[in-house]
Structures are given as C-alpha cells and as structure tokens.
C-alpha cells in the first residue's frame, strides 16, 4: 500500500533507480503474500538490506520520516530498505494485523544521527 507522497516519488524516479526500486518493492510484495502470522521479520531479507532507524535518529529527525497514510493520519516510518546504485531508501511500516506493508517514502537517504548532512 502506498502513501500519496510515495506514489508521487515513484512518478519522478530516476531511470537508474528503477531496477533497484522495483526489485525491492517486488521482494516486499512477495514477503506479504507468504506472511501468515506474527510481526514483520526482516531476517527474511538479505543482511543489512532492511533496518529500523535508531531511537536517536527518530528523536532528532522523526519529522522527516512522518508521512500521511492512505487513512489521512500521520505515520512515523522507521523501517527502511537500502537501495543502490545511489544512497536511496524506501521507508515503510509493517502492519501485522493486515499482513501489509505501507510505503511512505522512496528517495534519497534522509538525515540520521550519524549522517546529518
């Protein structure tokens, strides 16, 4: 499920990012088709591909990771997928009750507590 912001970002996607973005979105889709019970399990993906933001990053830069969902409510997106060739990210939230992934952002690396340029 995509937030409006993510839908717009996909329309502006640079050509060189297309294979990486579509590949990772397909992997998330595949995960959801087999997700039967429990919480989201990032270990089902390659190591270091999917991570949660640290609490300190969310405290300092949580607003940069807050997007309106399809329900109109603001959501803080703490999970992200690393994308190459550029340092891009897909920010998402898992919705265990629905066995769905909500995509909030697709774009360049956002600031973190460690890298805040």
């Amino acid at each position: 499920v995509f937030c409006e912001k993510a839908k717009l970002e996909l329309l502006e996607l640079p050509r060189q990012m297309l294979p990486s973005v579509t590949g990772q979105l397909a992997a998330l889709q595949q995960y959801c088709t087999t997700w039967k019970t429990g919480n989201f399990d990032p270990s089902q993906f390659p190591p270091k591909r999917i991570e949660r933001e640290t609490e300190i990053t969310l405290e300092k830069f949580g607003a940069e990771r807050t997007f309106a969902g399809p329900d109109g409510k603001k959501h803080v997106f703490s999970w992200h997928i690393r994308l190459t060739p550029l340092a891009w990210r897909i920010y998402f939230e898992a919705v265990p009750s629905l066995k769905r992934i909500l995509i909030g952002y697709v774009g360049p690396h956002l600031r973190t507590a460690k890298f805040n340029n």
Side-chain angles (χ1 to χ4, degrees), residues 40-47:
F40 175 73
D41 182 6
S43 73
Q44 300 301 309
F45 297 86

Side-chain angles (χ1 to χ4, degrees), residues 9 14 17 21 48-49 51-54 57 61 64-65 67 80-91 105-117:
E9 290 160 348
M17 292 307 299
V21 169
K48 301 270 186 188
R49 176 68 64 176
E51 295 181 332
R52 257 195 200 276
E53 289 294 0
T54 63
T57 290
F61 303 110
E64 293 180 15
R65 291 155 177 81
F67 310 107
H80 66 274
I81 299 175
R82 296 168 182 246
L83 300 173
T84 56
L86 304 175
W88 274 40
R89 302 289 186 265
I90 296 174
Y91 275 85
Y105 173 83
V106 179
H109 191 294
L110 299 175
R111 295 184 297 168
T112 67
K114 194 173 182 180
F115 302 102
N116 62 8
N117 327 359

Side-chain angles (χ1 to χ4, degrees), residues 5 13 50 54 59 80:
K5 179 173 179 39
L13 197 64
I50 293 181
T54 63
E59 286 174 21
H80 66 274

Side-chain angles (χ1 to χ4, degrees), residues 7-59:
K7 287 179 186 178
L8 295 173
E9 290 160 348
L10 289 172
L11 292 174
E12 300 294 324
L13 197 64
R15 175 179 250 139
Q16 75 246 41
M17 292 307 299
L18 190 60
S20 185
V21 169
T22 57
Q24 293 308 312
L25 291 175
L28 288 173
Q29 177 64 36
Q30 177 59 36
Y31 176 86
C32 288
T33 62
T34 60
W35 188 3
K36 302 296 182 215
T37 61
N39 290 323
F40 175 73
D41 182 6
S43 73
Q44 300 301 309
F45 297 86
K48 301 270 186 188
R49 176 68 64 176
I50 293 181
E51 295 181 332
R52 257 195 200 276
E53 289 294 0
T54 63
E55 285 300 317
I56 196 162
T57 290
L58 292 174
E59 286 174 21

